Amino acid sequence: MTDPRDTTADGIDRRAFVARSLIAGVAVTLPLACTPDAGPADSGAGRAVPADGTPAVAPGVPAADDLFELTVAAARERMEKGTLTSRALTQRYLTRIDAMDKRGPAVNAVIELNPDALAIADAMDAERKSGKVRGPLHGIPVLIKDNIDTADKMRTTAGSLALASSTPLQDSFIVERLRAAGAVLLGKTNLSEWANFRSSRSSSGWSGRGGQTRNPYVLDRNPCGSSSGTGAALASDFATIGIGTETDGSILCPAALNGLVGLKPTVGLWGRSGIIPISASQDTAGPMTRTVADAAALLTALVGLDPRDSATAQHGIPADLDYTKGLDPAGLKGARIGVARNLAGFHPDVDRALDAAVAALKAAGATIVDPADLAGVGKFGDAESEVLHYEFKDGLNRYLASLGPNAPIRSLAELIAFNEKDAAREMPWFGQETLIASEKKGPLTEPAYLAARAKCIRLARTEGLDATIAKHSLDAIVFPSNSPAWLTDHLNGDHFVGGDTSFAAVAGYPAVTVPMGLVHELPVGLTFTGRAWSEAALLKYAYAFEQQTKARRGPRYFVTLEA
């Protein structure tokens, strides 16, 4: 759920979760006006190596059909007209997954398909035919990350062989909401094992159960994590919408690196019961989609009070709030947007893309405050790491206890022992030093934990985001989401260059990333962040930016960047 993956400006290694969410601030991005013209409706199919020596394309990518990258609104309209059924749409995704996930480009994003998916689709079609429509997600196929409980025929494993036989006793809260909304649970996606909270040398998108997920834009590049499978699957058009989870970067980074919209909500907006935890103070699930409108539709459907998660009692969001209603192409007009320049500067091409994005914001009517730098960069990484180690032990032991008497393991200590015993399969490339460090921690009443948490709140929230927003009277802050994807390297682990996720993560505040352009065929994104519960405003700004720039380009499934 967290993305212990990269190195953040806080001096932490995200992967072990010495989380440094920012390292330097920018990555490599072409200016928006210079992005290659291979629009969103380009399936990447049938491209051989051109005579000009451009990179080779993987075989087996189906040609675009009339359901290619279908949005929630378009699917709903066709179903209302009777020109599309949920079964037909679900079968279309199953066929595409079969052609591309383990064969052809072998994206390896899906860890398990739901054997009941077509039956659910049939039931939703029958309801629609009888006049019952549950809402905008009725009959819409969704893929969810394999750390989200489903009490059905699928397993919930966090990618770990230790939980390979684990069947939860009840649905997670967000799965309950998905079922109530009429969504079709298509399957579960691969992830960085234990949401990348196992080792400081891990490779994002690798799990003992699922293997390595690949980035569909350039297949030898990394998809980031820990919601790697959801990112790669949605980029590959394996479902209409997807769900990831985040503690620090695990939605935002894979969304950005896979050319998607990713929304990390305020902690407590979505209920978190039944999600394998890392951090009670930072964990949240959130939408990963191809458009801002789809993210808004999914966000709307899953907001609610979770009786098993007290954090949801804090939001006060009306039950009938529809985040899609505030989406407006002119939504940036009059908004005060700050540019956190000290979260950029890590790559000249990304800096150029950021400059183009800021120009687009201004052209759309925003008042730009540049710079609007954040204090505290690099100062709270160690404290965040301390908090996560404490909370992971406490939360995981509680979760494992909830699995009942048939749980394959019952504690963090048993997990560590399992990995040691099955090291050949679980630890061929990297170890479990993060798990071991967490096991050494005591209860959440210890002064070391309380002091670390207080430091995090002070630096990320009070003296960080809150102070900058107040100083400049801002509606939102923007900065580059990521550097271009690095080569997957199991021996040495991830190689992050820049991009921040820690300020919003540690503060518990919302953030949304939107495609900003391509750098040598690799996506980079623009992050919007703001105060707690400001999702409606952030989505409005993100939507206006998306409509102003049309920057997203679908993947081409290059084998490598070199010709």
Side-chain angles (χ1 to χ4, degrees), residues 21 47 56 77 92 155 159 166 176 217 219 326 333 356 441 479 492 507 538 559:
S21 165
R47 302 197 192 108
E77 181 180 6
R92 183 267 185 191
R155 303 290 189 251
S166 181
E176 290 177 355
Y217 282 81
L219 293 163
K333 189 173 183 180
K441 297 299 182 183
F479 47 86
N492 295 303
L538 296 181
V559 175

Side-chain angles (χ1 to χ4, degrees), residues 135-197:
L137 299 189
H138 189 108
I140 301 297
V142 57
L143 284 167
I144 65 174
K145 187 176 179 180
D146 181 34
N147 61 348
I148 301 172
D149 283 354
T150 57
D152 53 18
K153 296 173 184 175
M154 293 188 288
R155 303 290 189 251
T156 304
T157 72
S160 172
L161 296 173
L163 291 180
S165 63
S166 181
T167 303
L169 298 177
Q170 66 182 110
D171 283 339
S172 61
F173 176 78
I174 59 174
V175 167
E176 290 177 355
R177 298 286 292 182
L178 284 170
R179 294 191 199 277
V184 177
L185 292 177
L186 189 61
K188 293 190 176 183
T189 56
N190 194 27
L191 68 161
S192 311
E193 188 174 310
W194 294 108
N196 230 346
F197 202 72

Side-chain angles (χ1 to χ4, degrees), residues 481-495:
S481 303
N482 63 295
S483 62
W486 56 94
L487 288 166
T488 294
D489 180 354
H490 292 153
L491 182 61
N492 295 303
D494 289 338
H495 177 67

